[in-house]
Amino acid sequence: MTTLLSHARHRVRTAQLGLAGPAAALVLVWLVFQSLNPAFLSADNLVNLTQQSAVLGVLALGVVIVLHVGQLDLSVGALSGLAAAVTAVASVQWGWSQWIAVLAAIAVGVVAGLVYGLIHARLGVPAFVFTLAGLLLLMGLQLRVLGPTGSVNVPFETWLVDLSQRAFLAPAVSWAIVAVVVAAFAGTRWYDRARRVRLDLPVEPLGLLLGRVVLLAGILAGVVAYLGTNRGVGVPFAALVGLVALTDVALRRTRWGRAIRAVGGDADAARKAGVPVRRVLVSAFVLSSTMAALGGVLATGRLAAANQGTGDVDLTLTAIAAAVIGGTSLFGGRGSAWSALLGVLIVQSIATGVLLVGGDFSVRLIVTGLVFAGAIGLDALARRARSG
Amino acid sequence: MSAPVLSLRGIVKSYGAARALDGVDLELRSHEVLAVIGDSGAGKSTLVGVISGNQRPDAGEIAVGGRAVTLASPAVARQHGIASVFQDLALAPNLDVVENLFLGAELTRGSFLDEVSMEKQAWELLGQLSVRVPSVRVPVGALSAAQRQAVAIARALLGEPRVIVLDEPTSALGTRQTAQFLTLLERLRERGHGVVVTSHSLVDMHAVADRIVVLRLGRVNGEFDAALATQEELLAAVTGVGAPRRGEERGGGAR
Ligand SMILES: Nc1ncnc2c1ncn2[C@@H]1O[C@H](COP(=O)(O)OP(=O)(O)OP(=O)(O)O)[C@@H](O)[C@H]1O
Ligand SMILES: [Mg+2]
């Protein structure tokens, strides 16, 4: 017990907090805004918050994957803008079925990711350099696709808009998902523990396992119950959480995820160990760009329109900020898919909170910038603590 | 005597104008520790790079178990039964011991990593090598230099390779750790591996190796039976002063 405590204290001192840090930051942000305006933690506001988080969350998840291999893609926002333009223009002006338009937009993301991945893997140029070129190119394409009017409205009664704005999980569905997730979590943990006992490997105390299960169940049930007093859990937000969970499993429990983290830690070492480094790099960029495109599709639905402002530069910057604020390292190889969710909740909480207390866009940018700077500082401190 | 598990013929490797390897021949048998010694810049690391698949030779042939092979990458070399411990160890600092041991060769159940089996095998392997680490779940970056090296060696042993290549394994070790390491080399020989090990240190290699090959300016400048060679002979071959079978010295080449 004392060793556990001193271990925890050491990690706090050296800023190696894992997800506990961002989770604490989220609680802090909530407490601050709640004390300034009691409407902040109302179910209505939190439902809005979750609804607004989906687009940015999907983008941030892509950023998290690319950060894992130690790279930075500065064009995720522009790519989402182009994807939004393709979705809207193809379905409204070209008369494509909306499904096809959405698939085309996502295909744009896949292609962009392939190009980025090949450039980086073949030429070894840092991604933040050539994605700047990509940013200009994609912005130009976005304007071209949108045409002279620069804005295309998508009819309200299409499935995409309906899904993005008005679709909420039925309470029974929400609860069923909670039950299945908690059971699956407890089941796999229990099964792993039993195998470890059989093989005489060290195991975590049963109490700790139970504690984790109860914590997870408590969080999920709390969210579903509280949001349920208002409109409930929005489909886009549920999809984001599902996507984050899937990515988390892929990063932690598959050979691909292991390769991603190894390449981010030391690409040359990974290559010498037999990891197909180039393929891994390409996969990271393809996934990230695909998610950026998916974010653009969701944005089209949410705004029921695509225009020149969709996927502005500040969207890219906020997505990167969210990934880092959520605890994924800028130096590669360390982080978690969940940091996309936590980071976006923090960033969006700041956005809605500032609005609620009467601040404007400038205040929002300043506060987000300060929090981002703090996260970068902690990231650098943690890195120093590890290497020395 | 048995056929060599590994043989190199006329290996040449240049970096621009500099010839790092200039026609190197080498044979290795199982149950044998072959030491490659030589001065700084003699070409030891380049030779290890060629054997481990990390560098492609410009010319020359490599045969494993009598069959000609092309070692296009460390992964390919590994498939041919050649495992390497690089001078920089090639460990990912952010991954823990188990993750590094199985990197590139993870065990799976279905589509998912089988952490439990990997951890079990990791403990067994480290136990066999009498390696002590605080936990197999600490990031490798937090370990001492000797522990990191032990992890790298354990990783090389994982697929029961025929040949193990180690580049300057003692350079980062203290006296006691070096002694432990030399015992470990003997254990590898007993297990039947063929071992190639490079070093600056004449004394260490003299103590542990069966055969010693001296590299000088990218050429083999003498080959010795470790039991018969004297320190003076070895030193002479390393420095190129009055060495037996001395290669003609070409200035501009490797230095
Ligand atoms: N990547 C490279 N690019 C250019 N020259 C190189 C490269 N690697 C090695 N060399 C040159 O090739 C020669 C042999 O180098 P190598 O590293 O194989 O020697 P070494 O015997 O391992 O030396 P040390 O004992 O210092 O490790 C040296 O002259 C070196 O400068
Ligand atoms: Mg060397």
Side-chain angles (χ1 to χ4, degrees), chain A:
Chain A
M1 194 62 212
T2 49
T3 58
L4 258 181
L5 260 180
S6 78
H7 184 66
R9 217 174 303 135
H10 172 78
R11 290 185 45 143
V12 169
R13 243 198 344 262
T14 54
Q16 298 175 62
L17 296 167
L19 290 174
L26 180 63
V27 171
L28 187 70
V29 168
W30 281 5
L31 290 179
V32 168
F33 283 118
Q34 176 68 10
S35 70
L36 293 174
N37 185 334
F40 182 77
L41 286 183
S42 67
D44 186 46
N45 191 45
L46 290 189
V47 169
N48 285 341
L49 182 72
T50 53
Q51 286 291 81
Q52 285 155 6
S53 295
V55 171
L56 190 60
V58 175
L59 258 67
L61 186 56
V63 172
V64 163
I65 293 173
V66 171
L67 279 178
H68 263 80
V69 297
Q71 296 297 318
L72 210 46
D73 180 348
L74 295 181
S75 71
V76 285
L79 184 54
S80 78
L82 175 60
V86 168
T87 308
V89 170
S91 64
V92 176
Q93 296 184 347
W94 302 347
W96 296 14
S97 117
Q98 203 170 45
W99 273 110
I100 307 289
V102 165
L103 287 180
I106 288 177
V108 168
V110 174
V111 171
L114 266 177
V115 173
Y116 283 166
L118 288 172
I119 291 176
H120 179 64
R122 291 269 152 195
L123 304 179
V125 188
F128 78 88
V129 180
F130 61 76
T131 53
L132 267 181
L135 171 98
L136 292 175
L137 186 92
L138 293 169
M139 262 165 55
L141 288 175
Q142 180 187 358
L143 298 188
R144 177 138 284 233
V145 170
L146 284 171
T149 55
S151 173
V152 176
N153 292 327
V154 178
F156 272 96
E157 52 286 350
T158 53
W159 66 265
L160 181 60
V161 175
D162 191 56
L163 181 93
S164 314
Q165 295 189 354
R166 293 184 295 270
F168 287 85
L169 294 181
V173 176
S174 297
W175 287 110
I177 292 175
V178 170
V180 169
V181 167
V182 172
F185 179 80
T188 49
R189 286 278 174 153
W190 175 260
Y191 179 69
D192 269 6
R193 191 178 188 281
R195 279 186 74 205
R196 297 179 70 93
V197 169
R198 222 174 316 132
L199 290 173
D200 229 5
L201 291 171
V203 287
E204 64 177 357
L206 255 184
L208 198 59
L209 193 157
L210 206 67
R212 286 181 203 279
V213 174
V214 169
L215 184 68
L216 177 73
I219 291 175
L220 291 181
V223 169
V224 167
Y226 192 56
L227 296 184
T229 63
N230 194 265
R231 281 159 288 165
V233 181
V235 170
F237 184 70
L240 169 66
V241 176
L243 205 56
V244 168
L246 268 181
T247 308
D248 178 59
V249 170
L251 279 174
R252 285 187 310 110
R253 303 275 248 178
T254 69
R255 296 193 67 190
W256 172 80
R258 179 88 13 116
I260 288 272
R261 288 175 50 230
V263 169
D266 185 337
D268 187 55
R271 187 183 55 79
K272 286 174 178 165
V275 173
V277 174
R278 283 182 180 172
R279 244 188 296 152
V280 169
L281 286 171
V282 171
S283 75
F285 281 96
V286 168
L287 266 178
S288 153
S289 295
T290 305
M291 287 189 190
L294 183 64
V297 170
L298 287 177
T300 313
R302 204 172 148 65
L303 300 170
N307 56 45
Q308 296 179 346
T310 318
D312 241 343
V313 173
D314 68 275
L315 186 66
T316 303
L317 301 182
T318 321
I320 293 171
V324 176
I325 290 170
T328 290
S329 173
L330 282 164
F331 303 108
R334 292 171 201 270
S336 162
W338 292 104
S339 58
L341 184 65
L342 280 173
V344 161
L345 287 178
I346 291 172
V347 167
Q348 282 296 341
S349 296
I350 292 172
T352 48
V354 165
L355 217 60
L356 269 182
V357 302
D360 60 10
F361 193 55
S362 66
V363 179
R364 169 180 163 186
L365 287 182
I366 290 169
V367 174
T368 311
L370 287 175
V371 175
F372 188 17
I376 294 170
L378 282 177
D379 186 19
L381 275 182
R383 177 171 132 112
R384 236 209 354 237
R386 282 190 306 264
S387 61

Side-chain angles (χ1 to χ4, degrees), chain A residues 191-192 195-196 199-202 249 252-255 258 261-262 264-266 268-275 332-334 386, chain B residues 54 74-75 86 88 90-95 99 103-106 108-109 111-120 123 141 155:
Chain A
Y191 179 69
D192 269 6
R195 279 186 74 205
R196 297 179 70 93
L199 290 173
D200 229 5
L201 291 171
V249 170
R252 285 187 310 110
R253 303 275 248 178
T254 69
R255 296 193 67 190
R258 179 88 13 116
R261 288 175 50 230
D266 185 337
D268 187 55
R271 187 183 55 79
K272 286 174 178 165
V275 173
R334 292 171 201 270
R386 282 190 306 264
Chain B
N54 197 32
F86 296 93
D88 63 6
L91 300 170
N94 57 327
L95 301 189
E99 292 173 331
L103 186 57
E106 293 86 355
T108 52
R109 283 160 76 92
S111 341
F112 297 107
L113 294 171
D114 185 358
E115 296 289 352
V116 179
S117 300
M118 285 194 275
E119 193 169 325
K120 181 71 183 169
W123 280 116
R155 174 167 77 188

